[in-house]
Amino acid sequence: MKLYTFQVAPNPTKVRLYLAEKVAGGAVIDIPQVSVNLPKGEQRKPEHLARNPLGRLPVLELNDGSCLTESLTIIEYLEECYPHPAMIGRSPLERARVREVERIAELGVLLPIGRIIHATNSPIGLPPNPEVAAHFRKILPEGLRLLDTRLSDGRPFVAGDCPTIADCTLAAALQFARFGKVEIDPTFTHLLHWDARYRERAAAKSALTL
Ligand SMILES: N[C@@H](CCC(=O)N[C@@H](CS)C(=O)NCC(=O)O)C(=O)O
């Protein structure tokens, strides 16, 4: 297998963090990573469009040459191939809880941060759109507040007592916020403490650059 990715881009970062956490937890996974330079437009070259006609990352190329797209689908596939350590819970309810928190991190935090950055100072050259930026600046605190509240019970990780895909999504989102200079309201202290703690992990240090 081969993972097509790009540093700091949040959706590839989710998968890279997931792989780093699995390996740190003892899984033997060796998937070479190939960089596709998004600001240079390499995602629109024919060889990448053959992997993903939408011209996006990440893409997981399988051993038969076919490709899987969509970061969460790639993670779920890898989790089935390499179930230990469990990164999506260990029982039906735990798995539902992890998925619930991961969706909040994706839809309530990563997506608004991405929209704000692409509407203000897009690294891939999308045109500025102040209305879109204002809309997503307004809704970002809702997602942050939900996660801050979950973390206020003192849990070490965003979905409980061990690292899960929810941590990967949230850490990828907050790294992109640092890249795009989107401020996280300092009153979300539980979330910011989680971020500082999470970035000290070896897996985070190996997969995050900012
Ligand atoms: N829903 C997709 C989103 C993929 C996506 O938007 N990837 C971005 C990088 S974070 C991308 O490749 N953008 C390049 C472009 O739109 O030209 C996923 O979860 O993988």
Side-chain angles (χ1 to χ4, degrees), residues 4 42-52 61 67:
Y4 293 88
E42 288 179 2
Q43 72 277 28
R44 290 188 294 276
K45 288 191 172 173
E47 61 266 33
H48 189 71
L49 292 175
R51 295 176 202 121
N52 179 358
E61 191 175 283
C67 289

Side-chain angles (χ1 to χ4, degrees), residues 6 8-15 36 38-39 41 43-44 48 52 54-59 69-74 103 106 110 118 124 126 176:
F6 189 62
V8 182
N11 290 294
T13 298
K14 272 158 52 177
V15 182
V36 175
L38 297 178
Q43 72 277 28
R44 290 188 294 276
H48 189 71
N52 179 358
L54 292 177
R56 295 196 181 126
L57 295 172
V59 173
T69 63
E70 292 298 326
S71 52
L72 190 54
T73 305
I74 292 171
R103 290 292 75 199
E106 164 84 34
L110 192 152
H118 285 295
I124 54 169
L126 299 181
F176 200 44

